[in-house]
Amino acid sequence: MKSSEARWGGGVTALLFLFIFLPLLAVLLNAVIPGLFFGKAEFGGFRLLGEIFHRPLWRQSLLNSVTLAAGAATLGTVIGGALAAIRARWDFAAARLLDLSAWLLLIAPSFMLAQGWVLFASADGLVARWLGWSWVPAFVFQPAGLVFVMALCKFPLAYLAILAATEWSVRQYGHAARLNGAGAFATWRTIELPLSRPSYLAGWTLVFMDTVGDFGLPAALATVYKFPTLTYSVYSAIYQSPVRFDMAGVLAFYLVVVLALAMGVLLYAMRRSRSDFLNARAVKAVRTKPAFAWLCNAAVFAFLLVSLGIPLGTSAVVSVLRKTGGGFAAGNFTLDHYRDLLTGRTADGDHHLLSFVEGMSHSLVISAFAAAFSMAIGFVTAYVLCFTESRFRQALQLFSIVSLAVPGVVLGIGYIFIWNQKWLEPIGLHLYGTPALLVVAGIAGAIPYAVRVQLGAFGNLSPTMLKAAAIQGAGVLGRMLHIILPLVRQSLLLAALAAFGTSVFDLALASMLKPANYALMPLVIDRAFEFSRYGYATAATVVSCAVVLLLIVALQAAGRFAFQRMDRRDTGGEAR
């Protein structure tokens, strides 16, 4: 049995190493030994790494990334912490809307949100043209404004992390402090905040890591505002002439270093967190109706109108306008952009743009394959981590954690280094420039979600059934298929749908690894936006989001229906 478990553990560990850790290792090696993967290896010490402090673009990219991430993490944690405190204490009408909006912002592609903000706040945007508020562009398109926009997009990470820490109520400590004369603020500062400090630190770190590795905001800003970041500079180094692999490798190296430091802070927060204060007197937190519920509803609704309504609402409005600056007039509304999408035309006959229908079909097929494979790999990974004593568990745990922090641009350049090798051609593994590499990259990007979703479901299962099955001679595959799979099939479906949704909208990997003349949905939207075809780009955004959302809802409903039929069939068989 241990030999069989070792083979399964070794197999998924090798896959995670190949898909995630090897590209990351290639990036780090190329920064120290430039040309290693292109037959011109030259070890020049660590001189090239020090160039970042002497080259203005490299230095500014690092400074911008760290400043944007630190500012967005701080403001996002303040916003998320305040909303979590309100949500944990009180029950009001807009509370569920807040939860739904947080999840929607969490899964929404950042480049689509950023494009909505650009169309709203640019000098030719809706707010300047329609309302004449010239101060909005001046505020948004400067570092503090970008921090504000990014915090509004990323605060759900802090909100959900802090809200999860309020599940149990330990108000007896606060009551004791109040009996000893402490006021409400002193009680929060000395009792509640120290107990929840690890969740605040974890929320800050998650927002920081997601922001520093974000590619969508810089890609959207490139059309109206110069703000180089590490992620966009890595992309630019690959797609400039001549190609600067040395620049891309160094910038990716520093991106990995920054993320590693942030991951260290997160692990420190997790290690410092304590749960021994949850004694027998701890009870589930109960939310009460506030006397000023109308104020909570109004504040939350106004906040969501800014954080969610502006980017999504702007995209929806621009998609039906002939001209963005044409104003709110009947003659300025049109459905031509949607007609162009569905007929396969490009905006205004511009042949520089790719076909949306073709790009959408390619993205859906690639994401479907990536979701299926990542679901299977995540299932086996979660099984090995939860129910085996495989010697590969530590390595598997490390790879699954590292995968959370590796941005798409780092994976992309690592895949170029690994799979763009001449010696792979004779054995048929030269995947660079083919859709197959996009599938592999999609699997790598989706594995963190697939593993985390399934670990939550596996954690609720007892290993007793598996031990009994093993005693009766059932192998590892039989236990997974006949015992675990029926119990966690709902979470397996959710993992597949989460992997599917994230793969469809991955702009970074699509930009880095696209085959020549191969349309992908994120690239269609980004290219149209780059060529100032805003109506076409926003119509593509609306249609693609609607299609993906309908597919996810339909697949989830079909899965539930199939599971219910299976349950009724099994129950009927037992009755007979």
Side-chain angles (χ1 to χ4, degrees):
M1 183 177 66
K2 289 185 177 181
S3 175
S4 180
E5 290 178 351
R7 286 195 297 270
W8 283 96
V12 291
T13 302
L15 286 177
L16 291 188
F17 177 84
L18 180 64
F19 289 168
I20 298 171
F21 197 76
L22 184 59
L24 179 62
L25 183 62
V27 170
L28 299 179
L29 287 175
N30 187 78
V32 179
I33 312 176
L36 175 64
F37 299 95
F38 300 99
K40 298 179 181 179
E42 297 178 3
F43 178 71
F46 299 96
R47 178 187 57 80
L48 189 59
L49 295 179
E51 288 292 314
I52 196 168
F53 301 107
H54 303 289
R55 302 194 182 189
L57 177 61
W58 298 15
R59 183 175 65 249
Q60 193 62 43
S61 298
L62 176 61
L63 180 62
N64 286 348
S65 290
V66 174
T67 302
L68 180 63
T74 302
L75 182 57
T77 303
V78 171
I79 294 173
L83 292 174
I86 295 172
R87 181 69 177 93
R89 290 175 179 270
W90 296 309
D91 185 19
F92 50 96
R96 292 173 182 82
L97 180 62
L98 176 60
D99 293 341
L100 177 63
S101 299
W103 281 106
L104 184 59
L105 282 170
L106 191 64
I107 64 176
S110 62
F111 77 95
M112 291 184 178
L113 296 175
Q115 288 176 1
W117 276 101
V118 168
L119 293 173
F120 175 81
S122 64
D124 294 327
L126 296 187
V127 68
R129 289 283 189 175
W130 291 17
L131 301 178
W133 293 355
S134 59
W135 61 269
V136 174
F139 167 72
V140 171
F141 296 107
Q142 47 109 4
L146 298 182
V147 166
F148 174 76
V149 170
M150 188 63 84
L152 292 183
C153 297
K154 304 296 185 183
F155 83 89
L157 291 166
Y159 170 77
L160 295 172
I162 297 169
L163 186 62
T166 64
E167 181 180 3
W168 292 94
S169 174
V170 287
R171 293 182 179 175
Q172 65 271 19
Y173 299 114
H175 295 161
R178 298 297 293 272
L179 287 174
N180 283 277
F185 178 75
T187 301
W188 176 83
R189 181 178 59 83
T190 59
I191 303 295
E192 297 180 15
L193 181 60
L195 292 179
S196 58
R197 186 180 297 149
S199 66
Y200 279 85
L201 188 56
W204 188 95
T205 308
L206 290 172
V207 176
F208 180 91
M209 292 169 60
D210 201 51
T211 302
V212 81
D214 186 81
F215 179 74
L217 181 71
L221 286 177
T223 59
V224 295
Y225 182 66
K226 186 176 182 181
F227 190 78
T229 61
L230 288 174
T231 52
Y232 195 76
S233 294
V234 169
Y235 167 77
S236 299
I238 296 296
Y239 288 97
Q240 69 179 6
S241 182
V243 178
R244 293 293 306 277
F245 284 115
D246 57 341
M247 173 182 173
V250 171
L251 295 179
F253 173 84
Y254 278 98
L255 181 59
V256 172
V257 169
V258 172
L259 287 168
L261 293 175
M263 180 66 77
V265 174
L266 179 60
L267 295 176
Y268 173 80
M270 294 171 60
R271 187 168 298 179
R272 289 279 296 175
S273 62
R274 296 179 56 187
S275 58
D276 53 2
F277 59 85
L278 295 176
N279 52 35
R281 298 180 61 187
V283 296
K284 285 282 187 177
V286 178
R287 300 179 177 93
T288 59
K289 282 280 187 182
F292 42 87
W294 66 270
L295 182 60
C296 293
N297 290 326
V300 169
F301 184 78
F303 174 76
L304 295 180
L305 188 64
V306 175
S307 62
L308 191 62
I310 286 179
L312 298 186
T314 299
S315 294
V317 170
V318 173
S319 70
V320 295
L321 296 179
R322 293 185 187 276
K323 294 182 179 180
T324 305
F328 193 80
N332 194 36
F333 288 92
T334 180
L335 295 177
D336 289 348
H337 306 305
Y338 290 94
R339 183 195 62 195
D340 291 340
L341 288 179
L342 299 179
T343 57
R345 299 177 185 174
T346 58
D348 298 331
D350 192 333
H351 297 292
H352 291 289
L353 301 182
L354 302 172
S355 169
F356 173 78
V357 175
E358 183 183 359
M360 190 69 181
S361 61
H362 288 165
S363 293
L364 291 177
V365 171
I366 289 172
S367 299
F369 278 106
F373 284 112
S374 65
M375 175 189 66
I377 295 173
F379 179 81
V380 177
T381 301
Y383 179 89
V384 173
L385 289 176
C386 292
F387 300 121
T388 72
E389 298 180 359
S390 171
R391 61 179 180 272
F392 296 101
R393 286 182 61 191
Q394 295 296 327
L396 203 56
Q397 185 71 32
L398 173 63
F399 293 159
S400 64
I401 292 176
V402 168
S403 65
L404 291 171
V406 180
V409 291
V410 174
L411 273 180
I413 189 174
Y415 274 42
I416 293 174
F417 291 156
I418 296 298
W419 298 104
N420 189 20
Q421 301 292 324
K422 291 183 179 180
W423 62 270
L424 292 175
E425 293 182 6
I427 58 177
L429 290 178
H430 189 267
L431 301 183
Y432 181 68
T434 66
L437 188 58
L438 289 170
V439 174
V440 175
I443 295 171
I447 279 176
Y449 303 96
V451 171
R452 294 300 148 186
V453 170
Q454 295 182 67
L455 278 177
F458 280 41
N460 296 324
L461 302 179
S462 171
T464 305
M465 296 179 292
L466 300 176
K467 293 179 180 178
I471 292 175
Q472 298 297 321
V476 174
L477 181 60
R479 281 174 271 162
M480 286 193 289
L481 294 179
H482 301 298
I483 297 178
I484 300 298
L485 182 59
L487 295 175
V488 300
R489 59 194 180 191
Q490 186 63 39
S491 68
L492 201 64
L493 177 62
L494 292 177
L497 295 179
F500 175 77
T502 55
S503 300
V504 169
F505 296 112
D506 197 326
L507 177 63
L509 289 176
S511 300
M512 299 287 288
L513 302 176
K514 61 180 178 66
N517 300 319
Y518 191 79
L520 291 167
M521 187 272 295
L523 296 180
V524 173
I525 298 174
D526 187 61
R527 183 73 61 84
F529 194 83
E530 181 182 348
F531 281 89
S532 301
R533 303 294 192 259
Y534 300 130
Y536 190 91
T538 52
T541 297
V542 173
V543 172
S544 60
C545 289
V547 169
V548 172
L549 182 61
L550 288 175
L551 281 175
I552 289 176
V553 171
L555 290 172
Q556 189 171 10
R560 288 178 178 175
F561 178 74
F563 296 156
Q564 290 174 357
R565 289 193 60 183
M566 293 169 62
D567 291 339
R568 286 197 297 267
R569 184 186 62 193
D570 294 342
T571 303
E574 292 177 1
R576 288 192 297 271

